Amino acid sequence: MGARLNLFDNPVAAKSLRHITSAGKVVSDSTLPAATRDLVLLRASQINGCGFCTDMHTKDAAHAGETSTRLNLVAAWREATVFTDAERAALELAEQGTRIADAAGGVTDDAWANAAKHYDEDQLAALVLLIAVINLFNRVNVIVQQPAGDYQPGQFG
């Protein structure tokens, strides 16, 4: 199985993805905890059915030291006891921000207030942008049917 479009060889796609990756780098350099970033990236990718990103973010998180228990329970985070209250707030925000079409009001005030209890304004900004960027990457990869399974940790830098 191959992708419908080679995102790395096509000049328009490659240039666009470099700019999007630059925006993601700002988030990576923020004070939002790396473990929280990894969980959010994985959860949004699961929701969007992006195999490529699910593969990438699972492997990158494991490579960074995340446990298999936590990675395996991200999809069932509400019932799992292995996440902090702050991580739960971030996962809730990620889910609501990813599923905005499923709720007439988008992200609820309760979800926002809960996240704001755990993260400062810069971290909230990073969280919002992280959710937006991963949703963009998910959609690109799903549209072109980017194959999953061959990603190696750190492959993209």
Side-chain angles (χ1 to χ4, degrees), residues 3 18 26 28 31 47 50 52 59-60 67-68 90 122 125:
R18 279 194 301 277
V26 174
S28 295
T31 60
I47 292 167
C50 183
F52 183 81
K59 288 175 179 175
D60 281 346
T67 69
S68 60
D122 286 347

Side-chain angles (χ1 to χ4, degrees), residues 3-4 6 12 14 25 30-31 40 44 65 70 73 89 92-93 99 101 129 132 144:
R4 291 174 170 161
N6 187 323
V12 172
K25 176 82 168 96
S30 75
T31 60
V40 165
R70 283 169 45 96
L73 289 171
E92 178 69 17
L93 193 65
R99 293 183 165 141
L129 294 169
V144 303

Side-chain angles (χ1 to χ4, degrees), residues 93-105:
L93 193 65
E95 284 193 1
Q96 289 189 18
T98 297
R99 293 183 165 141
I100 55 176
D102 297 342

Side-chain angles (χ1 to χ4, degrees), residues 33-146:
T36 301
R37 290 193 313 264
D38 289 339
L39 297 173
V40 165
L41 292 169
L42 178 55
R43 186 63 189 128
S45 299
Q46 291 171 335
I47 292 167
N48 287 322
C50 183
F52 183 81
C53 289
T54 298
D55 180 44
M56 176 193 307
H57 298 301
T58 300
K59 288 175 179 175
D60 281 346
H63 185 74
E66 188 58 78
T67 69
S68 60
T69 299
R70 283 169 45 96
L71 292 174
N72 291 332
L73 289 171
V74 168
W77 63 267
R78 285 177 182 80
E79 295 82 23
T81 60
V82 296
F83 302 106
T84 67
D85 289 341
E87 290 168 339
R88 290 174 179 284
L91 288 165
E92 178 69 17
L93 193 65
E95 284 193 1
Q96 289 189 18
T98 297
R99 293 183 165 141
I100 55 176
D102 297 342
V107 174
T108 65
D109 290 340
D110 287 345
W112 182 262
N114 192 29
K117 286 191 309 191
H118 299 284
Y119 300 102
D120 65 29
E121 191 171 278
D122 286 347
Q123 291 170 322
L124 284 170
L127 191 53
V128 167
L129 294 169
L130 179 68
I131 294 164
V133 168
I134 191 57
N135 274 279
L136 188 152
F137 273 119
N138 290 163
R139 281 154 175 74
V140 168
N141 286 318
V142 168
I143 291 167
V144 303
Q145 294 183 344
Q146 191 70 35

